[in-house]
Amino acid sequence: MKRTILIILTFIIFGCASQKNDNDTFKKSFYNYEIDLNQYNNDQLTVTLQYHGALKDSSVFCMPKVVPGIYDTLNFGKFINNFTAIDNDGNKLQTVKIDDNRWKIYSTEKLNHITYKISDGWDNYSSENFRPYRSAESSFEINSFIINPSATLGYLKGHENDSFKLEISKPIELYAATSLSKTSINETKDLFIAKSYKHLVDNPIIYSIPDTTSIRLPEINIVVACYTTSGRRISKEVAKRIEPLIKNQIKYLGSILPTDNYTFIIYQNTNLGNHPSVSEGLEHSNSTVVLMYVPDDIEVINDQIYRVVSHEFFHTVTPLALHSFEISNFDYIHPKFSQHLWLYEGTTEYFTIHMLIKNKMQSLDAFTKTLEDKIREMNKFNNNLSIIELSKDPVKYQDQYMNVYYKGALINLCLDIKLRELINGNYGVQDLIKDLIDKYGVDKPFEDDELFSNIVNITGEKAIDKFIIDYIIGSKPLPLKESLEKVGLILDENTFKISTQENISEKQQKLRYSWINQ
Ligand SMILES: [Zn+2]
C-alpha cells in the first residue's frame, strides 16, 4: 500500500441545487437553533433549540442513526450530553432516552426550549487510531470549528420538513464558509437558513481564520475555503490547481451541470512524518469536505485535493440531479437503501476516469493503466455478489462496499461501449444520464424499481435489458475483454494487462474515437 491512503466517501443528501429562494420559502413552523462558539469548552458546545410551531403532548427528538451514503451505523446521538427540555415556566419537562439517538419529551405543548451539550468527534485529524467517516463528524478547536449539522443538530419526528434558523455567535476573527444561505447579523453573529432538515444536514460549515479564494466561471461560482494547522494560507494555490479540473468537468458535463454554487471546505493537519498520510472527502450537493493529514508541502496537498475533488464534484450529477425516492425521502433512523449504487458511485467514478481521456488530459497509455488498476482491485472482491444486492444491504456487506468504485465504474465502462456499439457511436453513458435527468431531476426522484425499464425505453434498445439483467441485477463476470476488443484494446485476463491491438479495423477505430476521442 502506498504511504498515502485516500478514502472517498459519499454523502448522498440533497435538498436543493441552489439557495436562491431560501428566504422566499421560509415556513410558518420553524426551528431556531443557537450556538455560541465563544462558549466552547472541553471539546463541547452548548446548543439551544426553540421550536416555533404546534406540538402534540409528546414529541421525539432525533439525531441520525445513519446518514445517506455512509453505509454504516453512525449513531450521532452519542455526541449529545445533558439533554434537557424546559417549559414556559422555566421548569424541566420529563424526558426519556428511547435509544442511542432518540429522546421522548413529555408535555411538549408546554415546551419553551431544548438544550444540550454537543461533543465533537475528533481534534487533530490524522492516521493515528485510524477510523473512517470523520468527515461526517464535527470538530471544535479554538481556531477551527467544522460543524457538520447531522452530527450537531437534531429534528423533532414528523417535523423534518420545517425550516431551520441557525444563529451562531463567534469570535470576531473567525469567518464562516458554507453553501448554506448566510446573513451576518453583526461582526460576531451569523444567521443561516435551511428549508428542511435534509437541506440543513447537506451543508457543513467551517469557522476559521479566513483563507478563501473564489473561482468564478460563467456556469458556477466556487469558493475554496482552507484551514491548515500550520497557519499557512493555501486557498489561492489550491484554487489555481483545481480551476482547470473544474473547467474540464463542466465541459464534460455540458448542459447537465445541476448547480451554480459550490464550496470546497478543506482542512489540513500537518503530518510531521510520524504516521502514514491520510485523506478523506465527503461530498454534499453543493459542497465537499476534504480532511487531510499530509506534510506541509503544497504539491502533496494539491495532489490529494485534486484526487478527491475530481470524484466528489461529479456527484453533483449522480445523485444530486438523479436519484430515487429512497434517497429523496431518507429516513435517518430506519433507512431503506436504494439499489442503484452502480449509478450513484459507479457512474461518478467512471466519469472521473473517462473525462481525463475524453477531454485529452491524459494519454491512452495512462488511461489503460487506470483501467488495469480498477480491474485488479475489482478482482479482490466477491464478484458473485450482484451490485444491486450490495446496494440494498450495504451495512451487511461492509467488507464489499469499496467495490462500488471498481466494479461500479467498470459496469459503466462496458455499458458505455455497448450503447455506442448499438447506437452507431452516437450515444453513450453521458447521453443516457442527460436523458434521465431530463426525465427526472433534482426535485423529481425516480421509483427504485422502475429505473431499468426506463433506461431500456429511453435507449430504445432491447439488448440493454439483457446487459442490465446479466451484469447489474445479476452477477455474471463483466464482459471486459469482449468490450475492450471492440475498441481495439486487448485485455489479458490473467495479468489484467491491457495492450493496444495492431492493425485496428475501421469499425474498431470509429467506436474507439466515439468513446475516448482517440
Ligand atoms: Zn462518491
Side-chain angles (χ1 to χ4, degrees):
M1 183 178 283
K2 290 177 198 161
R3 265 182 70 77
T4 301
I5 311 158
L6 178 76
I7 302 156
I8 299 171
L9 302 173
T10 304
F11 205 57
I12 312 179
I13 297 186
F14 26 79
C16 60
S18 164
Q19 273 77 54
K20 277 178 203 155
N21 299 319
D22 285 350
N23 291 309
D24 305 342
T25 56
F26 205 77
K27 295 163 193 141
K28 264 187 182 167
S29 300
F30 64 96
Y31 296 74
N32 197 344
Y33 266 110
E34 286 184 54
I35 300 175
D36 185 352
L37 304 185
N38 299 294
Q39 301 302 317
Y40 150 81
N41 186 16
N42 212 7
D43 294 318
Q44 285 192 330
L45 290 168
T46 302
V47 177
T48 306
L49 164 63
Q50 280 199 314
Y51 178 78
H52 298 269
L55 291 174
K56 291 183 180 155
D57 54 2
S58 71
S59 301
V60 178
F61 179 86
C62 311
M63 290 291 285
K65 175 182 177 183
V66 177
V67 293
I70 291 188
Y71 296 91
D72 209 351
T73 304
L74 298 172
N75 288 327
F76 281 152
K78 69 188 171 194
F79 294 129
I80 287 191
N81 292 301
N82 303 354
F83 183 87
T84 311
I86 305 289
D87 72 10
N88 290 321
D89 299 321
N91 300 314
K92 275 189 189 177
L93 291 172
Q94 187 192 351
T95 61
V96 174
K97 194 168 179 188
I98 303 170
D99 56 26
D100 289 342
N101 303 298
R102 293 183 294 175
W103 288 258
K104 184 165 185 176
I105 310 165
Y106 291 89
S107 309
T108 32
E109 74 276 15
K110 290 190 276 183
L111 177 71
N112 182 278
H113 68 276
I114 291 166
T115 178
Y116 57 87
K117 300 267 185 206
I118 191 83
S119 300
D120 62 4
W122 51 273
D123 292 335
N124 292 301
Y125 182 79
S126 82
S127 57
E128 198 183 358
N129 302 320
F130 179 82
R131 62 188 177 83
Y133 311 136
R134 278 173 288 178
S135 46
E137 299 174 353
S138 295
S139 169
F140 311 139
E141 287 298 298
I142 199 75
N143 292 323
S144 72
F145 291 83
I146 294 176
I147 299 169
N148 259 302
S150 57
T152 314
L153 311 170
Y155 61 91
L156 294 166
K157 190 171 185 302
H159 298 271
E160 297 87 335
N161 291 322
D162 291 342
S163 319
F164 284 73
K165 275 187 179 180
L166 169 59
E167 289 176 53
I168 299 186
S169 301
K170 57 156 189 119
I172 197 163
E173 68 275 14
L174 298 189
Y175 169 85
T178 178
S179 279
L180 207 56
S181 157
K182 182 184 97 169
T183 310
S184 292
I185 295 173
N186 57 44
E187 285 183 323
T188 59
K189 197 171 200 178
D190 295 326
L191 169 67
F192 303 89
I193 289 174
K195 287 178 182 178
S196 62
Y197 189 68
K198 194 191 307 171
H199 183 202
L200 179 73
V201 301
D202 192 24
N203 285 284
I205 304 164
I206 186 170
Y207 270 95
S208 61
I209 306 286
D211 175 18
T212 61
T213 300
S214 295
I215 303 172
R216 292 186 186 278
L217 301 173
E219 303 85 353
I220 191 168
N221 283 335
I222 292 170
V223 173
V224 178
C226 300
Y227 171 77
T228 65
T229 54
S230 66
R232 191 203 303 218
R233 308 287 169 95
I234 60 169
S235 69
K236 264 204 181 73
E237 286 168 278
V238 171
K240 203 169 131 195
R241 176 74 193 273
I242 63 173
E243 185 171 338
L245 171 68
I246 301 284
K247 281 182 176 165
N248 267 294
Q249 291 187 285
I250 291 168
K251 180 180 160 198
Y252 181 84
L253 293 175
S255 60
I256 55 177
L257 180 74
T259 182
D260 56 11
N261 76 89
Y262 205 86
T263 307
F264 288 105
I265 295 174
I266 295 166
Y267 167 103
Q268 183 238 344
N269 184 25
T270 301
N271 182 358
L272 297 172
N274 303 335
H275 302 284
S277 289
V278 63
S279 304
E280 66 179 70
L282 181 60
E283 133 282 347
H284 301 260
S285 25
N286 292 75
S287 53
T288 287
V289 173
V290 183
L291 305 180
M292 287 181 293
Y293 175 64
V294 294
D296 182 22
D297 174 337
I298 192 67
E299 284 309 309
V300 178
I301 292 169
N302 270 340
D303 281 350
Q304 288 299 304
I305 292 172
Y306 195 92
R307 290 170 67 189
V308 176
V309 164
S310 56
H311 174 96
E312 304 298 358
F313 188 71
F314 272 130
H315 273 306
T316 54
V317 180
T318 54
L320 166 62
L322 186 60
H323 51 265
S324 72
F325 279 100
E326 279 73 7
I327 290 175
S328 157
N329 302 332
F330 192 81
D331 185 329
Y332 299 88
I333 301 290
H334 304 292
K336 183 169 178 275
F337 293 103
S338 166
Q339 59 188 296
H340 296 295
L341 276 174
W342 71 275
L343 175 73
Y344 309 136
E345 288 303 334
T347 306
T348 299
E349 184 61 11
Y350 177 62
F351 279 1
T352 307
I353 60 171
H354 183 235
M355 175 197 70
L356 295 176
I357 182 120
K358 189 95 195 269
N359 282 13
K360 300 187 181 301
M361 301 162 72
Q362 189 181 50
S363 66
L364 180 60
D365 198 39
F367 177 63
T368 55
K369 288 270 178 305
T370 306
L371 297 187
E372 288 173 5
D373 289 344
K374 290 275 180 226
I375 297 167
R376 198 171 292 118
E377 290 302 316
M378 176 184 77
N379 278 284
K380 293 177 184 169
F381 291 90
N382 170 18
N383 290 293
N384 292 321
L385 175 67
S386 123
I387 199 160
I388 293 290
E389 291 310 308
L390 167 60
S391 300
K392 282 181 185 167
D393 202 348
V395 177
K396 178 176 168 188
Y397 298 117
Q398 270 289 294
D399 61 334
Q400 297 297 316
Y401 177 74
M402 291 302 284
N403 204 13
V404 299
Y405 302 108
Y406 309 118
K407 188 179 180 183
L410 293 169
I411 286 172
N412 279 271
L413 178 146
C414 295
L415 178 62
D416 202 6
I417 293 175
K418 184 83 190 167
L419 283 169
R420 287 172 197 280
E421 184 197 12
L422 289 168
I423 312 173
N424 294 324
N426 295 325
Y427 191 95
V429 170
Q430 282 167 276
D431 307 281
L432 172 63
I433 297 297
K434 184 183 178 308
D435 283 348
L436 286 168
I437 289 172
D438 285 346
K439 183 172 172 59
Y440 302 104
V442 175
D443 298 318
K444 198 176 169 200
F446 57 78
E447 291 286 351
D448 226 44
D449 289 338
E450 291 176 4
L451 181 66
F452 291 135
S453 54
N454 274 305
I455 289 176
V456 176
N457 288 341
I458 283 170
T459 59
E461 292 293 337
K462 199 72 191 129
I464 293 302
D465 195 26
K466 183 165 168 31
F467 180 96
I468 291 167
I469 290 167
D470 286 350
Y471 308 115
I472 307 182
I473 298 171
S475 58
K476 275 196 179 174
L478 288 184
L480 284 162
K481 189 175 171 62
E482 180 193 329
S483 302
L484 291 172
E485 256 170 28
K486 288 174 187 167
V487 290
L489 297 174
I490 301 162
L491 170 67
D492 182 324
E493 288 181 307
N494 296 315
T495 62
F496 307 130
K497 286 272 173 207
I498 296 172
S499 51
T500 32
Q501 184 188 322
E502 285 175 26
N503 303 322
I504 184 171
S505 74
E506 200 178 317
K507 192 177 165 197
Q508 284 172 308
Q509 180 58 59
K510 192 172 165 244
L511 194 56
R512 187 198 287 178
Y513 187 81
S514 142
W515 177 45
I516 53 173
N517 269 338
Q518 294 274 327

